[in-house]
Amino acid sequence: MIQVTKGFLRKITLFFRRPLPAKIIHVSIGVLKYVFFAFVVFLLYLPILIIAVQSFNDSRNFYDFTFFSLRWYEELFSGISLANPSELGSAIQTTLLIAFTSTIISTIFGTLFSIGIHSMSKKSRQKMMFLNQVPILNADIVTGVSLMLIFRLIWLAIPQIIGYPSLLLAHVFFSLPYVVLSVLPKLSELDENLYDAALDLGCKPFRGMTKVIIPAISSGIFTGMLIAFTMSIDDFVISFFTTGPGINTVATYIYSSAQRMNPASYSYNTLLSTIVVVILVLFSIISSVRKKMSMSKNSIHKNIKKGAVYR
Amino acid sequence: MNIKKLGRYALPYMIWLLALVGLPLIVMFFMTFFDTNGFDFSSFSFTLVQWKSLFIESNLNVFKVSLTYAFYTTLIAFALGYPIAYILAKSPFSNKLVILVLIIVPMWSNSLLRSTALANILSENNIVDDILSNFGLSFVWNIKGTGLAVILGLVLTYLPFMILPVYTVLDKMDPFLLEASADLGNNPTRTFLRVTFPMSLKGVMTGVIMVFLPSFSGFAIQNIMSGGRIIFIGDLINDSFTNWNYNFGSLLSMVVIMFIFGSIFLVNKFDKEGETLL
């Protein structure tokens, strides 16, 4: 305790012994850093705040805030109804449907594929990683156009492909690489002897995989799932090129409707952002609580190893 | 090791990727030499007219404009994003998830709506001014439709893509390296220039590409921010494909693909496992 205070006092005396300009620079850099940070974060959130304000605006016009109302939220919920959805409502349904199905498909297959890639030799693994990076780094417009060309070619033989199937396949295509990228690092942390042990104990390879490998990499799978969902729900360009006539996601609806856009879109966006913030904050609280709990558990395990006896 | 036998699970993925990445390239390449109407092959002939029209002045100009805007966007995003990533990585506040939430949440709201909102603030009649006028204040910064507005829109949309990879690299860096550098007599500025920055290049590279490519090839955000007054390469590609001119559209896409393969090559050189791409 005394040493801490001594160190602290020394720091203070050192600080006051410095020439004045150095002092000012030191303090102002510290303050400026946080001002800068707050400013950039403010800029990032500014459009979202404006969208939120507009979603409570009774007027349809963006430049004219008349008075506070929940009119567009009512319209949003009445528009989502399954029986008679509005143009925006059916776009929201499509977006959610495609996001959920493409996330599920790409999570399952992405996990299997990354287990496969992990098991390859180093050289072919690097080749696969190169191929895997193409959809991520590729410009959206090129991915969209490429997929559109392929779907148009398939369409010559199977006309049903354009529409929901093409949209779903496109979303799976650009989500898969993210799942692979988040699962692979977890696989390299895996103790491969565990899998061998499972097989020695009589597991079939597939059962060994679901019982041993998948639980060990579950956190990577979860991250991949989250990213896949984010990418799918936010996508515009690829959906724009691969969707069929009359089928809109929220993004393509907003782009194609331009001036006559239903202001309930702002309510949808505000609701979505709010839900995401709440879920992510809850998730981070839960995970930090879990961490603390597992830390106390670990200490018990260590004590057992040391030979302590608990009765 | 039994796990090596699981390599067969990757085979379908290889076929899938080759079919959906490689095949379109071949199709596009052939399309550039013909004058079909969409995929209508009933009457077509071999022609080099697409390749010639690529080099007419108005098209070259579009390329120049797209490259310039993408360059400035990337530069500003780097100038803002690197310090932010640095401050985040060095902050005593170590709850990673909260930090990620802070940067990722804007990506969840639709980028077109965000651009619309931003374009609104930057026009003469805007909602902020309308609300402030009740208090006798005013806010007018009428730059909608100018190049500055386009760059601002692009920077604010793609900034998280610069922050996240740089933060990932800086966060993983071994703090003992900095101590070692200080022990060897480097002052903090020198340590940053000779140790921290070179080690973060991997993330910077990924960030630069993740910002440069979409701002170079996109069209939606650019359209909203410029009010359609500035034409980008994305517009040309979009127009070609919506007007069933698959041939010229394919050629333009091939040009964009050149840039993309260059960048994938660069990323691979700096970051073999792709760990900064998440």
Side-chain angles (χ1 to χ4, degrees):
Chain A
M1 187 62 204
I2 294 166
Q3 272 203 332
V4 173
T5 19
K6 260 190 184 170
F8 186 63
L9 281 176
R10 233 188 91 213
K11 262 191 186 164
I12 289 177
T13 44
L14 270 179
F15 179 76
F16 280 108
R17 261 190 223 158
R18 278 203 209 147
L20 195 64
K23 237 184 284 181
I24 291 168
I25 289 171
H26 189 78
V27 172
S28 54
I29 282 180
V31 174
L32 269 180
K33 216 168 67 175
Y34 290 107
V35 170
F36 173 74
F37 183 74
F39 174 69
V40 173
V41 171
F42 169 74
L43 278 185
L44 278 178
Y45 280 82
L46 183 64
I48 299 171
L49 285 178
I50 298 293
I51 291 169
V53 170
Q54 173 66 9
S55 76
F56 292 112
N57 183 1
D58 189 65
S59 163
R60 183 176 273 275
N61 298 326
F62 210 145
Y63 49 81
D64 179 24
F65 193 90
T66 46
F67 56 89
F68 181 92
S69 90
L70 292 175
R71 178 181 159 195
W72 303 118
Y73 286 87
E74 279 161 26
E75 188 158 332
L76 175 70
F77 285 113
S78 65
I80 299 179
S81 71
L82 283 173
N84 184 22
S86 65
E87 217 180 331
L88 173 69
S90 65
I92 292 173
Q93 284 167 12
T94 310
T95 306
L96 293 180
L97 178 74
I98 295 291
F100 277 112
T101 41
S102 77
T103 304
I104 292 168
I105 294 174
S106 53
T107 308
I108 294 171
F109 282 96
T111 307
L112 288 179
F113 292 156
S114 22
I115 291 173
I117 293 172
H118 176 74
S119 316
M120 290 172 126
S121 68
K122 198 180 173 201
K123 221 176 174 181
S124 37
R125 192 168 66 216
Q126 275 178 359
K127 272 184 207 152
M128 277 305 288
M129 287 317 286
F130 179 82
L131 269 179
N132 188 54
Q133 283 179 17
V134 175
I136 294 181
L137 288 173
N138 211 340
D140 278 356
I141 196 166
V142 175
T143 309
V145 165
S146 309
L147 292 175
M148 188 193 80
L149 286 177
I150 293 296
F151 292 142
R152 286 272 168 213
L153 279 179
I154 300 175
W155 175 76
L156 296 175
I158 313 167
Q160 292 91 340
I161 185 105
I162 303 269
Y164 287 109
S166 60
L167 200 56
L168 180 64
L169 281 174
H171 279 240
V172 170
F173 175 73
F174 68 73
S175 306
L176 265 174
Y178 289 100
V179 179
V180 170
L181 269 187
S182 50
V183 171
L184 268 182
K186 292 287 162 203
L187 276 169
S188 57
E189 290 168 13
L190 175 82
D191 183 358
E192 289 173 10
N193 293 321
L194 286 176
Y195 180 67
D196 288 340
L199 293 201
D200 287 346
L201 290 171
C203 271
K204 292 265 179 348
F206 188 77
R207 205 177 139 78
M209 193 174 73
T210 52
K211 287 273 169 191
V212 176
I213 301 179
I214 296 204
I217 56 173
S218 58
S219 68
I221 296 174
F222 186 74
T223 319
M225 206 166 84
L226 210 69
I227 297 174
F229 193 75
T230 312
M231 292 294 157
S232 171
I233 218 161
D234 192 42
D235 175 68
F236 162 67
V237 178
I238 298 174
S239 308
F240 179 71
F241 280 107
T242 51
T243 188
I247 301 172
N248 270 326
T249 67
V250 174
T252 59
Y253 164 74
I254 289 168
Y255 185 76
S256 60
S257 62
Q259 295 304 320
R260 48 173 194 86
M261 178 176 64
N262 187 344
S265 317
Y266 298 114
S267 317
Y268 163 75
N269 199 64
T270 310
L271 261 183
L272 189 68
S273 312
T274 319
I275 293 172
V276 172
V277 171
V278 170
I279 290 178
L280 288 178
V281 166
L282 277 182
F283 179 72
S284 76
I285 291 171
I286 290 170
S287 74
S288 71
V289 169
R290 254 200 203 158
K291 218 182 224 170
K292 270 180 202 157
M293 273 167 61
S294 73
M295 258 156 74
S296 55
K297 247 189 214 164
N298 275 347
S299 61
I300 292 173
H301 279 298
K302 267 178 204 158
N303 286 337
I304 292 174
K305 269 184 197 159
K306 276 180 199 160
V309 180
Y310 291 87
R311 283 174 199 272
Chain B
M1 288 298 226
N2 285 312
I3 203 164
K4 294 282 172 251
K5 287 178 196 154
L6 292 177
R8 63 172 189 276
Y9 284 128
L11 202 67
Y13 192 42
M14 192 169 356
I15 296 166
W16 160 271
L17 280 175
L18 285 177
L20 293 181
V21 175
L23 195 59
L25 287 185
I26 300 169
V27 174
M28 275 187 210
F29 183 70
F30 279 105
M31 291 298 283
T32 60
F33 294 109
F34 298 105
D35 57 345
T36 56
N37 182 25
F39 271 139
D40 180 11
F41 288 101
S42 52
S43 66
F44 70 95
S45 56
F46 179 84
T47 169
L48 285 176
V49 71
Q50 324 293 348
W51 288 84
K52 276 180 199 146
S53 63
L54 182 63
F55 295 103
I56 61 174
E57 209 189 326
S58 67
N59 285 340
L60 285 180
N61 213 22
V62 169
F63 271 99
K64 219 169 77 187
V65 167
S66 302
L67 279 175
T68 321
Y69 277 86
F71 175 76
Y72 283 121
T73 303
T74 314
L75 199 70
I76 296 170
F78 173 72
L80 292 177
Y82 195 96
I84 292 290
Y86 190 81
I87 293 170
L88 282 178
K90 299 285 167 214
S91 73
F93 187 66
S94 63
N95 196 339
K96 256 185 163 185
L97 266 164
V98 174
I99 292 169
L100 290 178
V101 167
L102 202 68
I103 306 292
I104 288 174
V105 163
M107 283 158 75
W108 269 76
S109 75
N110 191 293
S111 57
L112 299 180
L113 272 187
R114 273 185 290 156
S115 304
T116 314
L118 194 66
N120 173 269
I121 313 175
L122 300 179
S123 56
E124 202 181 345
N125 293 318
N126 65 63
I127 199 165
V128 178
D129 187 48
D130 194 59
I131 294 171
L132 284 179
S133 66
N134 294 331
F135 306 101
L137 299 166
S138 121
F139 171 86
V140 178
W141 188 27
N142 188 9
I143 58 164
K144 192 189 173 186
T146 63
L148 185 62
V150 175
I151 290 180
L152 206 62
L154 290 173
V155 167
L156 288 190
T157 309
Y158 297 121
L159 190 57
F161 293 103
M162 178 67 83
I163 297 174
L164 289 175
V166 178
Y167 170 78
T168 310
V169 182
L170 286 177
D171 191 53
K172 275 184 188 160
M173 218 174 82
D174 192 346
F176 289 120
L177 285 173
L178 301 182
E179 264 178 47
S181 165
D183 288 347
L184 292 170
N186 285 331
N187 61 15
T189 321
R190 227 172 124 81
T191 301
F192 176 78
L193 287 177
R194 314 256 321 236
V195 180
T196 313
F197 188 71
M199 288 196 69
S200 65
L201 263 182
K202 183 158 91 168
V204 172
M205 223 44 242
T206 308
V208 163
I209 285 161
M210 299 278 254
V211 175
F212 185 86
L213 282 181
S215 39
F216 170 62
S217 63
F219 60 94
I221 296 164
Q222 286 91 328
N223 258 338
I224 293 171
M225 296 310 293
S226 77
R229 269 179 242 173
I230 307 171
I231 295 175
F232 292 87
I233 184 167
D235 291 310
L236 285 188
I237 297 180
N238 182 21
D239 289 348
S240 310
F241 277 101
T242 43
N243 293 328
W244 296 93
N245 187 353
Y246 284 14
N247 314 90
F248 191 54
S250 299
L251 182 58
L252 289 170
S253 309
M254 298 283 294
V255 177
V256 176
I257 289 168
M258 294 294 159
F259 282 92
I260 290 158
F261 273 94
S263 21
I264 294 177
F265 181 73
L266 269 180
V267 165
N268 249 346
K269 225 174 167 183
F270 281 93
D271 180 7
K272 282 211 166 51
E273 297 285 318
E275 57 182 318
T276 56
L277 287 178
L278 276 184

